[in-house]
Amino acid sequence: MTHMGKMPLPKSPGFEASLRLIPIAAILLVKQLSTTVPKSQKYAQIAASIREVGLIEPPVVARAAGQDGSFILLDGHVRLHVLKEMGETSVICLVATDDESFTYNKRISRLATIQEHKMILRAVERGVSEARIAAALNVNIALIRQKRTLLNGICPEAAELLKARHCPINSFRFLRKMKPLRQIQAAELMIAANNYTVPYVEAILAATDSADLVDPTAKKAPAGVTREQAELMRSEMANLQKNIKLIEGALGPDHLRLVVAGRFVERLLQNDRLARYLDRSHGEILSEFRQIVAQLSQHVPTAEAQNGEST
């Protein structure tokens, strides 16, 4: 039941080079699930998914210091609970070389739309029917078909830009109406605005020149928008696209400097004597430092959890 087929390991020095089959009894939990979790719809969905298509993403563990043969569970508490309920005695795990049990879960995010699409494709390639996947995820089979064909008509470059983003399925419907170059520009606009909603993508479509549409004759002005307003939207979108190109060169170095500075502040706050001094004599500065660390924690790259699991 815990078989996952061929699965590439993360290219990271933070993990051992191969997956490891570990007895469930040797895995130590860093927290206990509340009694309400096994009764939740999300738990039922994950349980059904594991029963129907198997364990897609392995739990993440770290070796327990001073306890030979024991491991600390960093990510996958719900999955492990489900496997125990199913009577499994061992599970294939990804072993982290650094014990980040106190910070790992805050770096977990829900499965992105395109990643979910690829997960479904992998299941279909392994012979799992759409009906079985729909039953496992407790959704309508029509939704599974939509997710399976998500990238039909989407150029690879736009898909790459959006692969880790949480875009509604219908946003891709409007992207398909654009030619590849405009799809890339639209994806860049969505990322710059951090807005992936259907109305925003529809607005980008409305501001797109007919020459950049797959079917120019099918273009319709949004309800309640005059021709002058549509022209203004096109002009503003073009200016925004130029501004994105101007800041792209500086964004990477600026972000790197921000992360380095934020990590330095984080290390400062780990000094108890310094933290006490700041709390006693410079409370406002300490408050600002803590906000910097909190913001940094929210924006560092995140790992991904199976089936949208975040515990």
Side-chain angles (χ1 to χ4, degrees), residues 192-214:
N194 194 28
N195 189 341
Y196 308 94
T197 62
V198 173
Y200 186 69
V201 182
E202 189 175 11
I204 295 176
L205 178 65
T208 300
D209 289 333
S210 297
D212 291 325
L213 297 178
V214 174

Side-chain angles (χ1 to χ4, degrees), residues 48 69 127 169 190 265 281-282 303:
I169 292 178
M190 293 159 69
V265 171
S281 305
H282 303 283

Side-chain angles (χ1 to χ4, degrees), residues 216-286:
T217 62
K219 182 173 183 179
K220 297 180 181 179
V225 177
T226 64
R227 179 179 300 177
E228 291 76 14
Q229 290 172 327
E231 289 296 331
L232 180 60
M233 288 173 60
R234 276 192 287 272
S235 175
E236 290 179 347
M237 287 290 186
N239 288 334
L240 180 56
Q241 188 70 32
K242 291 178 182 177
N243 291 335
I244 290 174
K245 295 298 182 184
L246 289 175
I247 66 174
E248 274 181 344
L251 181 60
D254 287 348
H255 184 265
L256 177 60
R257 284 191 288 269
L258 175 62
V259 171
V260 171
R263 290 303 185 200
F264 177 72
V265 171
E266 186 176 26
R267 287 196 298 273
L268 287 180
L269 295 184
Q270 292 172 355
N271 185 314
D272 292 337
R273 291 180 61 189
L274 178 59
R276 285 196 299 269
Y277 169 76
L278 290 175
D279 188 36
R280 183 173 62 252
S281 305
H282 303 283
E284 292 183 0
I285 294 178
L286 179 61

Side-chain angles (χ1 to χ4, degrees), residues 49-200:
S49 173
I50 293 176
R51 283 196 302 269
E52 293 291 337
V53 299
L55 188 62
I56 296 171
E57 298 292 342
V60 179
V61 299
R63 295 180 182 277
Q67 300 183 52
D68 189 34
S70 294
F71 297 82
I72 298 172
L73 182 64
L74 302 183
D75 172 53
H77 287 74
V78 172
R79 279 166 278 167
L80 195 67
H81 191 281
V82 169
L83 292 171
K84 287 181 179 178
E85 291 291 309
M86 294 171 58
E88 296 288 336
T89 58
S90 60
V91 59
I92 294 176
C93 296
L94 183 61
V95 181
T97 55
D98 296 319
D99 180 2
E100 296 187 352
S101 56
F102 296 105
T103 60
Y104 193 89
N105 273 338
K106 73 180 180 182
R107 300 180 183 178
I108 301 296
S109 65
R110 291 183 180 275
L111 204 61
T113 311
I114 289 179
Q115 292 164 345
E116 187 179 22
H117 153 79
K118 292 181 178 179
M119 181 190 78
I120 291 173
L121 284 185
R122 285 202 303 269
V124 171
E125 289 171 357
R126 287 162 48 189
V128 182
S129 68
E130 292 177 347
R132 189 178 176 189
I133 297 172
L137 299 179
N138 195 28
V139 296
N140 191 291
I141 191 171
L143 181 60
I144 295 299
R145 287 171 179 162
Q146 277 186 288
K147 292 182 178 182
R148 182 174 61 81
T149 59
L150 182 77
L151 297 184
N152 287 3
I154 303 296
C155 73
E157 294 81 2
E160 179 67 20
L161 287 171
L162 297 174
K163 69 178 182 181
R165 314 290 174 169
H166 299 278
C167 304
I169 292 178
N170 284 335
S171 292
F172 290 91
R173 179 165 61 89
F174 289 108
L175 284 175
R176 289 189 194 97
K177 297 182 179 182
M178 308 174 197
K179 290 183 178 179
L181 182 58
R182 183 56 177 169
Q183 287 181 9
I184 297 170
Q185 293 173 345
E188 291 174 340
L189 288 169
M190 293 159 69
I191 293 169
N194 194 28
N195 189 341
Y196 308 94
T197 62
V198 173
Y200 186 69

